[in-house]
Amino acid sequence: MEVEQDLTDRSADPAERLRGAREPTFEELRAFTEPRLVTEIPGPKALAIVEADGKVTSPSLPRAYRFVPARGAGAVLEDVDGNVFLDFNAGIAVCSTGHAHPQVVEAIERQARLLLHYSASDFYLPIYVELCERLADISPMSGPTRSFLTNSGTEAVEAAIKLARRVTGRQYLLAFFGAFHGRSYGSVTLTASNAKYHTGFGPLLPGVLHAPFGDLEHMRELIFRRLVKPEEIAAIVVEPIQGEGGYVVPPEGWLRELRDLCTEHGILFVADEIQSGMGRTGTMWAIERDGIEPDILLAGKGIASGMPLGAMVARAELMTWEVGAHGSTYGGNPVSCAAALATIDLIEKELGANAEQVGSGLLEGLRRLEAESDLIVDVRGFGLMIGVEFRSPEVADAVEEACFTRGLLTLRAGDATIRISPPLVITAEQARSGLRLFGEACNEVARLPGA
Ligand code: PLP
């Protein structure tokens, strides 16, 4: 406790004196349009925490760089040294309504005072019902749906695997190279974005096949003809836009063809919208752009603005599994449900539109940068789900680090892509500053020897 106070108290800090200002209020922090750096990056308190962390946390945590946040407001974060950053990450595409959105915080506080937990697996929670009704309203399925709520994305994927096998009586599952669906045994078997997720963990879940993303011919020729007939496949699990795999957009029309193929063979179409959903691409779900309906929809990440929650939403007629077939102690806990309801309200009311509008400006700006820079090989995406692909992983890493030292938080995805996934509340002005800093970071890296 003492250590914690020492590391977060800025009052006697040289950095505090250097900037000669009192700590910004929440509103002031939210209004920052530029980073404000008052120490070396990372600063001394951040370094102390990184060192302490290195002694007691699991070394498996894949830290991108030494950023140690203390406070957030909207699309702005302050680190433990009092440095102010612009956030193009949203905590891995999670903080959809921005940091500490007052309406979300208020909903969390209200629910926390009423009831923190009473397992929805064994009892009935009004707010759990309310959220499942809301998910039915906003889901991209036209008929009735039922939902199973979880604490995370990976649990929503596991629920879909179990339901798909159970309801179809089929064993096989098909996913795509480049996909990321989570790290528990079923979901990690579907994941095929990087061999490190599988190394040393085998044998994985039996009955999982992979096909190239965006290529139906390969699936027909090599999988259905040579390995497994489509009638034996329970579900095809697909991200409408691949997330961790590098913000990869499939060829136009491919998702529709995949949907038709599933319908033809009685395969369940599972849309993993854990990263691409909840307004991130400008529409509530990325799949809406293709005008197709999944059989099962998976949501997570941005659904509750940072509170742990995931959802498996299935066409009602698929939910035939009997009492006790699946459950969870915490899944759909009331506080997370309250955060989700407030989040959905905000996305529907204004944030989906903001993602579309600010995102299209960002996409344009990044495309201009691509035209000027030898380092960038592709810019793609929709809304505030934009991937900037670089010549090599080394270049992407160097740009990510150069952004960080300028006060802009970005995160790599796939082999050599930097993802741009800010909170959906980001303003046009904040996006423009971020874009400028991103361009400066690219220029710095272009000047490095060997770049
Ligand atoms: N599915 C997709 C598309 C994801 O991007 C992720 C996480 O990055 C997951 C599933 C797993 O979610 P979680 O990390 O909450 O378990």
Side-chain angles (χ1 to χ4, degrees):
M1 192 60 202
E2 258 176 38
V3 171
E4 200 176 296
Q5 271 171 3
D6 183 40
L7 294 173
T8 52
D9 174 17
R10 285 188 294 280
S11 53
D13 186 324
E16 181 66 24
R17 287 201 303 277
L18 181 77
R19 69 180 176 171
R22 60 182 168 73
E23 188 178 271
T25 63
F26 176 81
E27 284 307 329
E28 286 166 345
L29 190 61
R30 186 161 63 168
F32 270 75
T33 54
E34 297 278 337
R36 184 170 75 180
L37 305 181
V38 295
T39 69
E40 294 280 301
I41 301 297
K45 288 178 180 172
L47 287 174
I49 289 172
V50 169
E51 197 189 335
D53 176 290
K55 293 180 186 141
V56 292
T57 64
S58 166
S60 64
L61 298 171
R63 268 62 183 276
Y65 44 86
R66 293 171 296 175
F67 174 60
V68 187
R71 211 160 58 109
V76 179
L77 282 158
E78 189 180 41
D79 78 356
V80 288
D81 291 286
N83 297 299
V84 173
F85 293 79
L86 281 181
D87 186 9
F88 269 15
N89 281 341
I92 329 188
V94 168
C95 307
S96 47
T97 57
H99 300 285
H101 193 291
Q103 261 168 262
V104 177
V105 171
E106 207 264 321
I108 291 169
E109 282 176 354
R110 192 172 355 106
Q111 182 57 46
R113 275 191 294 270
L114 288 175
L115 187 71
L116 282 178
H117 168 79
Y118 217 76
S119 180
S121 269
D122 288 298
F123 304 98
Y124 298 88
L125 293 175
I127 201 160
Y128 191 108
V129 183
E130 201 185 332
L131 180 56
C132 294
E133 286 171 351
R134 202 80 168 82
L135 288 170
D137 288 344
I138 63 168
S139 87
M141 291 92 127
S142 46
T145 63
R146 286 176 178 266
S147 292
F148 176 83
L149 304 181
T150 67
N151 306 285
S152 64
T154 199
E155 289 168 76
V157 176
E158 297 295 335
I161 293 173
K162 288 173 76 176
L163 180 67
R165 282 184 163 174
R166 184 69 173 244
V167 73
T168 61
R170 303 176 181 185
Q171 291 187 17
Y172 289 97
L173 300 155
L174 195 144
F176 296 94
F177 290 110
F180 186 91
H181 297 289
R183 293 179 167 94
S184 47
Y185 260 101
S187 67
V188 86
T189 310
L190 296 176
T191 290
S193 56
N194 194 315
K196 74 180 173 195
Y197 296 123
H198 295 167
T199 308
F201 296 136
L204 301 176
L205 189 73
V208 174
L209 306 156
H210 287 96
F213 188 65
D215 177 354
L216 229 49
E217 263 331 285
H218 178 284
M219 199 187 291
R220 287 209 179 91
E221 268 305 303
L222 295 180
I223 296 192
F224 296 168
R225 217 156 82 91
R226 314 236 174 246
L227 287 175
V228 176
K229 292 222 160 125
E231 290 71 28
E232 283 204 279
I233 295 178
I236 294 183
V237 185
V238 63
E239 295 160 273
I241 298 175
Q242 285 190 333
E244 307 298 304
Y247 279 30
V248 184
V249 179
E252 217 179 319
W254 179 72
L255 285 167
R256 175 169 286 281
E257 287 175 36
L258 194 63
R259 170 69 269 186
D260 291 345
L261 183 139
C262 285
T263 308
E264 185 187 339
H265 299 290
I267 301 168
L268 298 180
F269 185 111
V270 180
D272 181 344
E273 293 249 19
I274 288 164
Q275 189 148 175
S276 60
M278 300 312 301
R280 176 135 304 278
T281 63
T283 46
M284 187 60 82
W285 311 106
I287 205 162
E288 287 174 49
R289 277 180 202 282
D290 296 82
I292 55 174
E293 297 189 16
D295 299 300
I296 297 177
L297 174 89
L298 306 177
K301 287 194 181 273
I303 191 171
S305 294
M307 293 296 286
L309 191 79
M312 176 188 65
V313 183
R315 287 196 292 111
E317 72 244 40
L318 297 176
M319 284 267 201
T320 54
W321 47 9
E322 77 279 12
V323 171
H326 201 46
S328 164
T329 299
Y330 293 117
N333 94 80
V335 183
S336 293
C337 288
L341 287 165
T343 300
I344 293 169
D345 281 348
L346 286 161
I347 293 172
E348 278 199 318
K349 208 166 94 207
E350 55 192 295
L351 299 186
N354 192 59
E356 176 81 52
Q357 202 183 337
V358 177
S360 66
L362 256 177
L363 192 66
E364 240 174 67
L366 288 164
R367 289 211 164 119
R368 278 199 301 277
L369 202 62
E370 179 189 7
E372 291 159 13
S373 168
D374 292 341
L375 302 183
I376 300 176
V377 297
D378 193 28
V379 172
R380 54 188 175 245
F382 297 102
L384 289 172
M385 184 168 191
I386 304 175
V388 181
E389 187 172 340
F390 288 89
R391 249 182 9 215
S392 68
E394 292 72 27
V395 169
D397 281 345
V399 172
E400 183 190 73
E401 185 66 25
C403 285
F404 175 47
T405 54
R406 284 176 166 72
L408 177 68
L409 303 167
T410 63
L411 190 60
R412 219 179 96 180
D415 291 334
T417 297
I418 287 187
R419 65 183 113 184
I420 309 288
S421 61
L424 309 183
V425 289
I426 192 166
T427 64
E429 205 179 347
Q430 288 170 327
R432 271 195 299 276
S433 314
L435 186 61
R436 196 196 68 245
L437 294 165
F438 194 80
E440 286 173 17
C442 290
N443 290 341
E444 179 189 316
V445 173
R447 288 193 298 271
L448 293 176

